[in-house]
Amino acid sequence: MPTGVRLVVLGRQGAGKGTQCVRLSHRYAVPHISTGDMLRAAVRARTELGLEAESLMTTGELLPDDLISRMVAERLAERDATTRGFILDGYPRTVSQAEMLDTILDGELPLHCVVNLEVPTSLVLERLVSRRTCVDCGAIYSIHEPPIQGWNCDTCGGEVVQRPDDTTEAITTRLQAYERETLPLIQFYEARALLETIDGDQPADDVLAETVIAVEHRKKEMS
Ligand code: ADP
């Protein structure tokens, strides 16, 4: 199976981005680079970045573009990403970040495509309030589909909890930030002929299958 890919995955909160990104990273043997997971790890480790990020994250606001772009640039410079590729989850989420990403990739590592997982807002609200997340590996569960053994992750044994920003108030702020800051990226990437829109309101296996077909097509075109 051919491995390697360079992807950005967009989608509103609760669209199933995290779930699909994990699967895509296994399928293509590339790192899943989630800015949310990186920041949550920094908060847990009480690093300088984590201390700066914590309150903004809890209320659901975005961090400064340059701060987040520096963090992503450092991660993308690592060997696994430069040689095999990456799945970017949660970045870019403003037009300014998308421009910074262009600079980071520097024409040397062009994106194969940008996957836009589309789901209606009415559906994501219910998904988000019932969502539970592993604090260690970021695996996603819900009150309807809990882990097998109590609230411990099936994959790594970590504690599975409700994210501090999965409250109704923070969810509203995050969805508003998405509409305001991230939706313009759809046009940004459409104009660059990179956008692949996938219906996220179907079983996760079907979303993955459709995404892989689209990505394979793009990879063939670019090779
Ligand atoms: P969401 O479900 O809201 O997409 P993430 O796990 O991707 O959650 O991110 C959690 C929080 O981390 C965001 O609400 C924001 O505070 C911060 N964050 C993550 N990625 C970015 C980014 N690219 N730019 C600015 N802030 C970010």
Side-chain angles (χ1 to χ4, degrees):
M1 191 203 302
T3 59
V5 77
R6 292 180 295 276
L7 283 187
V8 163
V9 180
L10 298 177
R12 336 188 123 70
Q13 290 75 5
K17 225 170 357 116
T19 305
Q20 294 302 329
C21 287
V22 169
R23 291 171 179 222
L24 287 165
S25 78
H26 292 158
R27 157 96 201 192
Y28 288 104
V30 294
H32 167 208
I33 302 180
S34 155
T35 47
D37 286 350
M38 289 167 84
L39 292 168
R40 278 184 287 278
V43 169
R44 278 203 307 284
R46 319 291 312 150
T47 64
E48 208 174 303
L49 172 68
L51 294 173
E52 195 171 338
E54 190 168 19
S55 60
L56 284 173
M57 289 178 74
T58 307
T59 52
E61 278 153 90
L62 295 184
L63 270 67
D65 289 333
D66 53 340
L67 180 83
I68 206 93
S69 295
R70 257 198 321 272
M71 180 181 89
V72 171
E74 272 174 29
R75 181 61 188 90
L76 286 176
E78 287 179 35
R79 201 180 149 73
D80 55 353
T82 56
T83 55
R84 296 204 306 280
F86 49 81
I87 313 280
L88 267 180
D89 168 5
Y91 182 94
R93 65 171 92 192
T94 66
V95 169
S96 153
Q97 290 181 16
E99 285 162 352
M100 290 178 189
L101 178 62
D102 274 350
T103 309
I104 295 167
L105 299 177
D106 193 27
E108 304 243 315
L109 301 168
L111 295 172
H112 288 100
C113 66
V114 173
V115 173
N116 175 31
L117 281 186
E118 224 173 35
V119 286
T121 313
S122 53
L123 189 84
V124 301
L125 279 174
E126 150 59 20
R127 281 189 185 178
L128 287 170
V129 288
S130 57
R131 176 163 85 174
R132 299 294 180 269
T133 310
C134 172
V135 294
D136 287 338
C137 74
I140 291 156
Y141 301 88
S142 84
I143 51 174
H144 313 297
E145 286 176 79
I148 297 161
Q149 290 261 316
W151 288 98
N152 289 105
C153 180
D154 295 340
T155 311
C156 75
E159 202 189 345
V160 174
V161 299
Q162 182 168 34
R163 263 171 50 174
D165 59 349
D166 276 348
T167 58
T168 312
E169 224 174 39
I171 289 169
T172 308
T173 308
R174 284 154 61 207
L175 284 169
Q176 282 167 352
Y178 184 84
E179 305 297 320
R180 195 180 57 240
E181 307 285 354
T182 313
L183 266 189
L185 287 183
I186 305 289
Q187 266 193 335
F188 180 95
Y189 284 119
E190 212 159 37
R192 285 164 174 71
L194 279 172
L195 199 73
E196 289 286 351
T197 296
I198 307 284
D199 177 8
D201 185 11
Q202 45 177 345
D205 287 349
D206 298 351
V207 175
L208 181 69
E210 240 183 68
T211 307
V212 168
I213 290 171
V215 170
E216 287 305 314
H217 184 72
R218 293 283 182 158
K219 282 184 71 178
K220 218 172 275 161
E221 270 183 349
M222 271 176 73
S223 63

